[in-house]
């Protein structure tokens, strides 16, 4: 069964450092998303991406965050200057269309120290 | 000290029993709903979805019921197995006019299946 692949599975970074979280969506999917989940809390929407541009973003997705699809397979989330409160699980997801449910990756656990 | 984070509703059932997990969604204009299962340390796993023009949909061992009048969604799991133990989230989608969906997740229910 096709999967959304995320790397790394765990990233530890110093506060103020930049991190890039990587995702390989399912190959025939056209819509891409990042969500995050702070430990013990709800999964929260960050950003959606379609046709090489951001479709929608949440209040969490401020100017410290950016996304990129640098080639035909990868979809990345960059946090420019990490804060302690950025510590969370970050999930990438993709979908083929509006009619089909999302597929989530297994997540990257980001720990900011 | 004060605990941080959500206290999840919990449901504990015996193996073989049927489970019903409930969810109240927030937006009456939402038109698409998904149930996800999340095991510890993993991403949400799609279980079943339903569109707002339906009130019931069945899958393998699972049934989703949608009551738009009271904005309520339920997931029924038949013959619950230990492998069903996980946190279950409902998610709703409202087409905000963009090109694709944004999901809003509920806070989840922890299902524990006792052998």
């Amino acid at each position: 069964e096709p999967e959304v692949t995320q790397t790394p599975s765990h990233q530890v970074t110093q506060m103020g450092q930049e991190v890039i979280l990587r995702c390989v969506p399912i190959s025939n999917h056209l819509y891409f998303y990042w969500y995050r989940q702070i430990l013990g809390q709800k999964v929260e929407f960050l950003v959606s991406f379609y046709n090489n541009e951001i479709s929608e973003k949440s209040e969490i997705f401020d100017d410290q965050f950016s996304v990129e699809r640098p080639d035909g397979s990868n979809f990345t989330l960059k946090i420019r200057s990490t804060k302690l409160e950025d510590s969370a699980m970050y999930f990438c997801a993709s979908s083929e269309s509006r009619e089909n449910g999302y597929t989530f990756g297994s997540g990257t656990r980001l720990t900011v120290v | 000290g004060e605990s941080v984070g959500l206290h999840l509703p919990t449901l504990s059932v015996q193996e073989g029993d049927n489970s019903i997990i409930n969810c109240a969604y927030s937006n009456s204009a939402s038109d698409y709903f998904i149930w996800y299962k999340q095991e510890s340390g993993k991403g949400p796993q799609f279980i079943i979805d339903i569109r707002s023009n339906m009130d019931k949909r069945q899958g393998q061992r699972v049934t989703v019921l949608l009551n738009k009048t009271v904005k309520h969604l339920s997931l029924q799991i038949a013959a619950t197995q230990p492998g069903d133990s996980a946190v279950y989230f409902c998610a709703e989608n409202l087409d905000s006019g963009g090109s694709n969906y944004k999901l809003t997740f509920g806070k989840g229910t922890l299902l524990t299946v006792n052998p």
Side-chain angles (χ1 to χ4, degrees), chain A residues 26-84:
Chain A
I26 294 174
S27 61
N28 64 335
H29 285 188
L30 300 176
Y31 304 86
F32 314 112
Y33 317 86
W34 283 100
Y35 287 76
R36 80 170 186 190
Q37 185 178 32
I38 294 171
L39 185 63
Q41 298 192 19
K42 291 194 264 187
V43 177
E44 301 173 287
F45 170 78
L46 292 178
V47 66
S48 59
F49 191 87
Y50 170 73
N51 200 25
N52 286 318
E53 61 183 18
I54 290 174
S55 304
E56 189 167 357
K57 58 185 180 180
S58 72
E59 292 176 354
I60 303 168
F61 195 90
D62 61 22
D63 58 8
Q64 292 300 308
F65 290 83
S66 62
V67 290
E68 192 177 29
R69 188 155 164 82
D71 52 41
S73 60
N74 292 285
F75 180 52
T76 62
L77 174 69
K78 181 192 292 186
I79 309 175
R80 291 190 182 83
S81 178
T82 50
K83 304 186 287 288
L84 295 177

Side-chain angles (χ1 to χ4, degrees), chain A residues 4-39:
Chain A
V4 174
T5 305
Q6 289 187 245
T7 55
S9 57
H10 193 184
Q11 172 96 43
V12 180
T13 189
Q14 295 270 347
M15 188 170 57
Q17 294 296 304
E18 174 184 286
V19 293
I20 297 176
L21 309 183
R22 304 183 189 278
C23 171
V24 179
I26 294 174
S27 61
N28 64 335
H29 285 188
L30 300 176
Y31 304 86
F32 314 112
Y33 317 86
W34 283 100
Y35 287 76
R36 80 170 186 190
Q37 185 178 32
I38 294 171
L39 185 63

Side-chain angles (χ1 to χ4, degrees), chain A residues 31-33 35 37 39-43 45 48-50 55-56 89 91 98-102 104-106, chain B residues 4-6 31-32 34 36 38 41-44 46 49 51 89 95-96 99-103 105-107:
Chain A
Y31 304 86
F32 314 112
Y33 317 86
Y35 287 76
Q37 185 178 32
L39 185 63
Q41 298 192 19
K42 291 194 264 187
V43 177
F45 170 78
S48 59
F49 191 87
Y50 170 73
S55 304
E56 189 167 357
M89 282 289 287
F91 294 108
R98 291 184 47 183
E99 306 303 314
N100 293 336
Y102 291 31
F104 281 81
S106 295
Chain B
V4 175
L6 295 171
D31 60 359
Y32 180 57
I34 309 175
Y36 285 96
Q38 188 178 26
K42 296 185 179 180
F46 175 90
D49 58 1
R51 301 192 63 79
F89 293 95
D95 176 16
S96 56
S99 301
N100 52 339
Y101 280 138
K102 176 182 86 171
L103 292 179
F105 281 78
K107 64 180 179 179

Side-chain angles (χ1 to χ4, degrees), chain B residues 39-110:
Chain B
E39 295 172 289
S40 180
K42 296 185 179 180
Q45 178 187 355
F46 175 90
I47 302 173
I48 191 167
D49 58 1
I50 188 167
R51 301 192 63 79
S52 59
N53 60 353
M54 303 171 69
D55 53 22
K56 180 178 179 179
R57 190 158 187 235
Q58 288 185 291
Q60 186 178 15
R61 280 203 308 119
V62 294
T63 301
V64 55
L65 299 177
L66 174 62
N67 185 331
K68 295 183 287 293
T69 303
V70 294
K71 293 190 289 185
H72 184 267
L73 199 65
S74 69
L75 176 70
Q76 300 177 359
I77 305 174
T80 317
Q81 303 167 359
D84 295 327
S85 295
V87 176
Y88 289 80
F89 293 95
C90 66
E92 62 182 298
N93 175 267
L94 168 64
D95 176 16
S96 56
S99 301
N100 52 339
Y101 280 138
K102 176 182 86 171
L103 292 179
T104 300
F105 281 78
K107 64 180 179 179
T109 296
L110 174 62

